[in-house]
Amino acid sequence: MTSRPGPGMPATGPGETTLGEHVLGQLRRLGTTVGLSKADTELYGQVLIDSLTGAADRPLSLPPASPTFLSDDHTPVEFSLAAAPDAAPALRVLVEPGWAHSDMVDSGRAGLAAIRAMGARWGFSTDRLDALADLFFPAAAQGPLALWYALDLRAGGVPGVKVYLNPSASGPDNAARTVREALLRLGYDRAFEHLPPAAGYPFLALDLGAWASPRVKVYVRHPRMSADDACALSRTSGATAADIRYFFHAAAGSLAPSGRGENETLRLVRRPALTCHSFTAGDSNPSGFTLHIPVRDYVRDDEEALARATALLTRAGTDPSVLNRSLGALTQRTLADGVGLIAYLALVYERNRPPRLTSYLSAEAYRVRPPQEQYQRHPWMPAQRTQSVMNLGHRAVGHVSPHSTQKEVTWSPTASRS
């Protein structure tokens, strides 16, 4: 059993900001940015606060209640923005509901309670999750997480719900066995053999509730990935090597320090890349592929991260100004004064859908990671117009930075999702 600090919930003093106030304010501003109605935003905000139980009332003057690896500064909430051509941007929120509990068993119980409350609210079954309970919630559960959930925040007040589980709950040596058994129980008899070689399985995720085609998704860790490696990992016909290669170099940076010699392949030697492989409707062949690049480890600061994301979004024919405004909804600090506000960039393929680009955005409730001075500023790959599937011929709107007010810059060195 992995022990974690207790919550310690003193009453807040006059004028003290709580965790709940911080993330709820961000959610409200993000909802306005993407066009969610006030009623929908308030409903989703209440669900978020309720799922954090008493931890929402914890003042930010105290240190984080536990060392969650959901974020670098241990905030148990992360936002993301998914963009696709000819579609409104999709806002999502990722939460660790058991963040303040003292061990993984209690954290898992809190997470299951939060999901079952959502099932009662929105009328969906938790049967698929319950069928896996012994695998992911053992009596002596190990870390680094028990359960996270994500809400796909849709108009109308009924979200898509995703649950993220820890394949290493019974120990890292059992992670592959746990993933294989979970896929078998869910009806994907041969899915495991279609997964690429893995250095680890950080998550298994389930779609619950209002999804046209519910998926199970397996996340795979890839240390020292190169662009060639990334191209070889896709098992989905819609993922083109040209687009994967462009995305890899645009997100990670063609000149990123890698410890390589002059004639060696560029590899990511800091935080590793992740891939996600999704399976739908009992089909053991993958229906989707996602490449996640931890952009914050390969840029000097968030100004550079935004420039890379803007180039990718423009090339894909989507509006980069929505991401820029979303950063302004999260913080008033100057982007050049920190790194990690944009944590990951992801290229997403799903069968019979155009590719999407997702930006994962940190709440930064506790700390801001300082710029990485070892990365020198350099020009970005241009947002080229090509004939690839990512370029659908749409012209994106320009952006103006809203970031002006500096926040104190400190950082805990614990790395998230490593």
Side-chain angles (χ1 to χ4, degrees):
M1 183 179 298
T2 300
S3 178
R4 302 199 293 181
M9 295 301 302
T12 58
E16 282 194 285
T17 301
T18 66
L19 173 66
E21 290 168 340
H22 179 83
V23 297
L24 185 56
Q26 290 175 320
L27 178 60
R28 286 168 172 160
R29 294 188 294 272
L30 287 168
T32 299
T33 299
V34 301
L36 272 180
S37 72
K38 182 177 180 180
D40 288 342
T41 302
E42 291 301 317
L43 186 153
Y44 294 138
Q46 190 60 56
V47 170
L48 166 60
I49 297 302
D50 289 347
S51 73
L52 289 172
T53 60
D57 296 326
R58 184 182 178 86
L60 294 183
S61 57
L62 293 175
S66 76
T68 177
F69 89 125
L70 188 149
S71 65
D72 284 343
D73 76 328
H74 309 306
T75 305
V77 176
E78 179 187 74
F79 301 97
S80 62
L81 197 67
D86 297 326
L91 176 63
R92 297 159 184 164
V93 60
L94 177 67
V95 182
E96 183 171 9
W99 174 66
H101 287 271
S102 60
D103 63 64
M104 286 297 166
V105 172
D106 288 340
S107 181
R109 288 172 181 155
L112 287 170
I115 296 304
R116 287 172 179 147
M118 293 178 197
R121 174 189 289 270
W122 287 306
F124 64 79
S125 171
T126 61
D127 288 350
R128 292 204 306 159
L129 176 59
D130 296 337
L132 306 179
D134 62 309
L135 296 176
F136 293 97
F137 305 101
Q142 300 184 35
L145 77 147
L147 181 150
W148 297 347
Y149 75 80
L151 300 182
D152 189 9
L153 305 182
R154 303 169 182 169
V158 180
V161 180
K162 308 176 188 181
V163 176
Y164 293 80
L165 306 172
N166 175 24
S168 297
S170 295
D173 292 343
N174 294 315
R177 186 181 304 113
T178 296
V179 169
R180 183 191 296 271
E181 177 61 23
L183 291 170
L184 287 171
R185 292 188 191 184
L186 294 169
Y188 302 94
D189 296 344
R190 300 181 59 191
F192 189 83
E193 65 189 62
H194 290 293
L195 295 174
Y201 301 93
F203 315 108
L204 183 141
L206 296 174
D207 288 345
L208 300 176
W211 297 92
S213 299
R215 301 157 298 173
V216 58
K217 301 190 293 182
V218 179
Y219 289 75
V220 179
R221 185 180 293 112
H222 304 279
R224 296 187 60 82
M225 175 185 276
S226 70
D228 288 341
D229 294 336
C231 293
L233 292 171
S234 171
R235 308 297 173 88
T236 303
S237 60
T240 70
D243 283 336
I244 292 172
R245 188 179 304 278
Y246 183 95
F247 173 80
F248 180 93
H249 285 293
S254 294
L255 302 179
S258 66
R260 64 190 178 107
E262 182 177 345
N263 298 318
E264 294 179 1
T265 301
L266 176 74
R267 295 185 180 277
L268 304 184
V269 298
R270 297 180 183 276
R271 200 181 321 241
L274 303 177
T275 59
C276 172
H277 307 266
S278 60
F279 303 89
T280 308
D283 184 355
S284 290
N285 291 308
S287 62
F289 168 80
T290 304
L291 174 60
H292 297 262
I293 299 293
V295 62
R296 66 194 183 281
D297 276 7
Y298 300 96
V299 293
R300 179 192 180 277
D301 52 43
D302 285 307
E303 190 169 74
E304 289 198 58
L306 177 60
R308 295 187 188 184
T310 297
L312 285 164
L313 291 164
T314 302
R315 182 177 189 260
T318 59
D319 181 0
S321 70
V322 179
L323 173 60
N324 192 44
R325 295 196 304 273
S326 295
L327 299 183
L330 292 174
T331 184
Q332 292 184 313
R333 72 166 173 84
T334 302
L335 291 182
D337 286 340
V339 65
L341 190 62
I342 302 177
Y344 278 85
L345 294 174
L347 175 61
V348 185
Y349 289 88
E350 289 289 343
R351 185 182 295 160
N352 300 322
R353 297 181 63 181
R356 306 191 304 278
L357 290 164
T358 301
S359 304
Y360 292 82
L361 310 177
S362 301
E364 289 188 344
Y366 293 100
R367 291 191 174 108
V368 176
R369 183 179 174 184
Q372 302 176 121
E373 301 297 343
Q374 71 270 29
Y375 287 97
Q376 300 300 315
R377 292 190 179 278
H378 55 79
W380 309 115
M381 298 178 72
Q384 300 171 8
R385 291 294 177 184
T386 73
Q387 296 303 312
S388 78
V389 295
M390 287 181 65
N391 172 29
L392 302 184
H394 301 281
R395 185 170 299 278
V397 179
H399 69 282
V400 178
S401 176
H403 309 280
S404 57
T405 304
Q406 183 172 355
K407 182 177 177 179
E408 181 183 0
V409 179
T410 56
W411 181 54
S412 167
T414 302
S416 73
R417 277 182 273 182
S418 59

